[in-house]
Amino acid sequence: MKNSTLTALLSGLLRGLSALPYGLVARLGEALGSLLYLIPGKRRHILHTNLRLCFPEQSEAQRERLARASFQHVIRSYLERGLQWYGSAQAITDRMELDSAIDLQDRYDQPTIFLGFHFAAIEAVCMYYSIRHPVASIYTPMSDAVTEAISRERRARFGTTMIPRHGSARDILNVLRSGTPIMLAADMDFGLRDSVFVPFFGVQACTLTAVSRLAHLSGARVVPFVSEVLPDYRGYKLRIYPALPSFPSGDVRADALAMNQFLEARIRETPDQYYWVHRRFKRRPQGEAPVY
C-alpha cells in the first residue's frame, strides 16, 4: 500500500476520533490499553524493566499495577491524538487547565527554552501553548514516514516552527534570540554524542547536554513544564515551573543531573503517566551489561 494511501487512512481515523466525545475516546483508549497489555511484547518488556530498575523498593504487585496503568495512559494518548492533531483550537483550549509560575507573553526579554518531558499529555499541552503563543519545537523525526508526515504537519498547524533535532544549531540560536521560545524534551537516550552518564532513579542514564549548551550559547533561561492527565476525564493540565536556578552552571554534568533530579520529583507525583515504554537505559556506561 502506498504511503499516500496510508496517510489518508491514518488521517481519516484521527479525524474521526476528533469528532467523538473526549470522554468516550479516553475510555476507549484505556480499554484498548488493558487488552494490549495482556499481549507479551517488546514494549511491555521495556516497561517492566524500567519499573524494576527505578522502583526496586516496590513489590512485584505494586509494579504490576503501575505497569498496567502506565500502558493504559500510553495507548489512550495515541487515540487522543485525534483531538490534539485535528480538533479545533477551542476544543483543545476547553480541555486544558494552566498553572504557570511565569508570566506568559508572546515575546520574552530573555531567550527561553521550555524543557518538557515525556508524560502522557505532552502532545496536548504543547499544542495548547502553540495556540496561545508563537513557539518553535525541536523534534525527533519518526522512523515511519507516514506518521512522520502527519505529525509534522499537524503539530505545526497553529504556527509552530518545527526544527528537526539534527538541524542547524545556528538556526536554533537565531530563533531563541528573535524572542520566540523553543520547546524541547531531553529525557530520552539519543546516543553518546553530546551526552553524559548521570543517575536517574539511581541508575546511570545517558543524558543530553544540549539544553545546557544551548542555554550557555544563547543566554536563555530554562523553564521546565510538565503535562498532566486530569482525573474524571476532565482533560489536561499544563504546569509551568520557575526557571531552573543557576542553570546553566558551567558544568554540563551537573546540569544534566539537575534535569534528571527535577524529572524524578515530577514522576513520583504521577508515576503512571510517564512514558516508561521507551528505552531510557538503552546505552550503558563502559563495562556495564545491557538491561533490555
Side-chain angles (χ1 to χ4, degrees), residues 93 98 104-106 127-134 158 238:
T93 301
L98 173 65
L104 298 179
Q105 305 173 61
D106 285 354
M127 295 298 298
Y128 168 73
Y129 185 91
S130 73
I131 292 168
R132 294 187 49 158
H133 302 282
F158 297 118
L238 168 58

Side-chain angles (χ1 to χ4, degrees), residues 6-275:
L6 291 173
T7 300
L9 288 173
L10 182 55
S11 296
L13 173 61
L14 292 174
R15 285 182 187 276
L17 289 170
S18 73
L20 297 176
Y22 169 80
L24 174 60
V25 174
R27 288 176 173 86
L28 285 173
E30 290 175 346
L32 182 59
S34 295
L35 289 173
L36 293 177
Y37 181 80
L38 299 175
I39 304 172
K42 180 177 70 173
R43 290 298 171 187
R44 200 177 80 167
H45 170 69
I46 293 169
L47 170 59
H48 279 275
T49 301
N50 285 336
L51 295 182
R52 175 174 49 81
L53 291 171
C54 295
F55 299 102
E57 74 283 0
Q58 291 190 2
S59 67
E60 288 287 345
Q62 288 174 317
R63 290 198 294 267
E64 175 65 18
R65 287 193 294 271
L66 178 54
R68 288 177 179 272
S70 177
F71 205 81
Q72 285 180 325
H73 271 296
V74 170
I75 302 303
R76 172 180 166 180
S77 73
Y78 294 160
L79 268 63
E80 290 178 16
R81 292 288 194 278
L83 168 64
Q84 297 152 18
W85 288 358
Y86 290 93
S88 68
Q90 189 61 54
I92 295 171
T93 301
D94 288 346
R95 286 292 171 187
M96 192 66 60
E97 294 182 11
L98 173 65
D99 180 8
S100 180
I102 68 171
D103 183 19
L104 298 179
Q105 305 173 61
D106 285 354
R107 296 177 67 85
Y108 298 96
D109 294 333
Q110 181 182 9
T112 297
I113 296 171
F114 282 115
L115 176 62
F117 308 96
H118 286 88
F119 288 88
I122 185 172
E123 193 83 26
V125 301
C126 289
M127 295 298 298
Y128 168 73
Y129 185 91
S130 73
I131 292 168
R132 294 187 49 158
H133 302 282
V135 69
S137 177
I138 298 177
Y139 75 100
T140 302
M142 298 180 181
S143 57
D144 177 73
V146 173
T147 308
E148 162 66 11
I150 295 174
S151 66
R152 188 175 62 250
E153 175 193 357
R154 303 316 295 174
R155 286 169 174 169
R157 66 193 178 109
F158 297 118
T160 298
T161 300
M162 303 297 293
I163 304 173
R165 189 169 62 86
H166 293 300
S168 166
R170 181 178 298 176
D171 291 342
I172 295 172
L173 290 172
N174 287 339
V175 170
L176 283 170
R177 290 166 178 162
S178 75
T180 298
I182 280 181
M183 285 183 162
L184 60 84
D187 59 332
M188 297 182 73
D189 184 338
F190 288 116
L192 298 176
R193 181 181 175 184
D194 297 328
S195 297
V196 292
F197 282 100
V198 291
F200 178 61
F201 282 93
V203 183
Q204 292 294 315
C206 188
T207 305
L208 283 174
T209 59
V211 179
S212 179
R213 296 179 193 279
L214 277 176
H216 174 73
L217 290 171
S218 65
R221 59 180 176 170
V222 176
V223 178
F225 70 94
V226 170
S227 61
E228 180 183 346
V229 177
L230 295 172
D232 303 321
Y233 306 104
R234 299 201 316 269
Y236 318 100
K237 175 177 281 189
L238 168 58
R239 195 185 302 274
I240 301 176
Y241 291 79
L244 293 176
S246 303
F247 194 104
S249 66
D251 181 339
V252 293
R253 185 176 298 276
D255 292 344
L257 179 59
M259 291 193 306
N260 282 358
Q261 289 174 335
F262 178 89
L263 176 56
E264 281 184 38
R266 304 289 78 76
I267 288 175
R268 291 188 186 279
E269 294 168 355
T270 55
D272 59 320
Q273 296 191 26
Y274 191 62
Y275 270 36

